[in-house]
Structure formats: structure tokens, C-alpha cells
Amino acid sequence: MELGEQLSRQRVKHIVSSYQLEGNEAETFNSSLEDLLRAYSAPLIELALVEVLVDSWLQVPMAKGCRFLTKVQEHLKAWEGQEIVSAIAPEQFQQITGLDPTPIFGPTGMPASQPPIRPLM
């Protein structure tokens, strides 16, 4: 695994651990997360995690574990083959994750190797 790919995976794992998204299903959650990392790019997974996280804050109790990851996968599938328009701005992404938004939104707010991710705002 290349260094860049390792860093991308670490970013995803940082988001998961920061918000304890695996819940009480760590082994199953991590296995499902690995499946997603094989199927989708880590930056897309990061963005999907954050978008589902923000949506989940409105639900009590907040979904975690495999239920949360199922919502992330549904989000990713909805984006397949189309331009990605994000409800999250780069600045919000950084505030929520504590991570640099550039790998997700690119230096100009658009990624170089994927369909454009545009904030709605």
C-alpha cells in the first residue's frame, strides 16, 4: 500500500474514531469499512461519512455501527456516475473533522481526479 493511500485511510479512521462511529460493532463495522475502501476512493468516503454524520446529529439516538455505515454506503451509491454536490462546505468539513479539506475539495474547491464536489453554499 502506498503512503498516500495509507494517509487517506488514516483520515477515514480519524473521522470514525473521533465520533466513535463503530458503536458496539467494531469488528463488523471495520470489515464493512474495508469493503467500502476497496470499492470507493477514501476522499469520497470521508465526505460521505461527514454528510451522514451531520444528518445523523438530528436523530436521537444517533445511528452508529453498521446502521451508520449502511447510510454511508447509500450516500456513496447515490453519487455514482453523477456530479457530486455536497451540502458541506470545505470550511465546515475542516471544522467537523479537524482535517485539511483540500484532498476532498481540491485547492480550488474541486477535486482533480473525480467528478466535481461542489458545496451547495
Side-chain angles (χ1 to χ4, degrees), residues 29-117:
F29 180 94
N30 288 326
S31 175
S32 296
L33 182 60
E34 284 300 317
D35 290 342
L36 285 180
L37 285 164
R38 283 190 286 277
Y40 297 95
S41 70
L44 279 180
I45 294 171
E46 285 182 53
L47 184 60
L49 284 168
V50 172
E51 289 211 358
V52 172
L53 178 63
V54 169
D55 289 344
S56 296
W57 284 337
L58 301 174
Q59 301 166 2
V60 177
M62 186 177 118
K64 290 193 176 186
C66 291
R67 206 168 105 214
F68 182 88
L69 212 50
T70 298
K71 291 180 180 190
V72 170
Q73 186 172 18
E74 290 168 359
H75 221 73
L76 290 164
K77 283 185 186 245
W79 285 340
E80 286 180 4
Q82 61 182 325
E83 180 179 50
I84 299 166
V85 179
S86 176
I88 307 294
E91 299 80 18
Q92 292 169 320
F93 180 89
Q94 187 170 24
Q95 289 172 342
I96 292 166
T97 65
L99 298 170
D100 178 12
T102 305
I104 311 309
F105 296 94
T108 61
M110 305 285 227
S113 62
Q114 304 177 86
I117 298 173

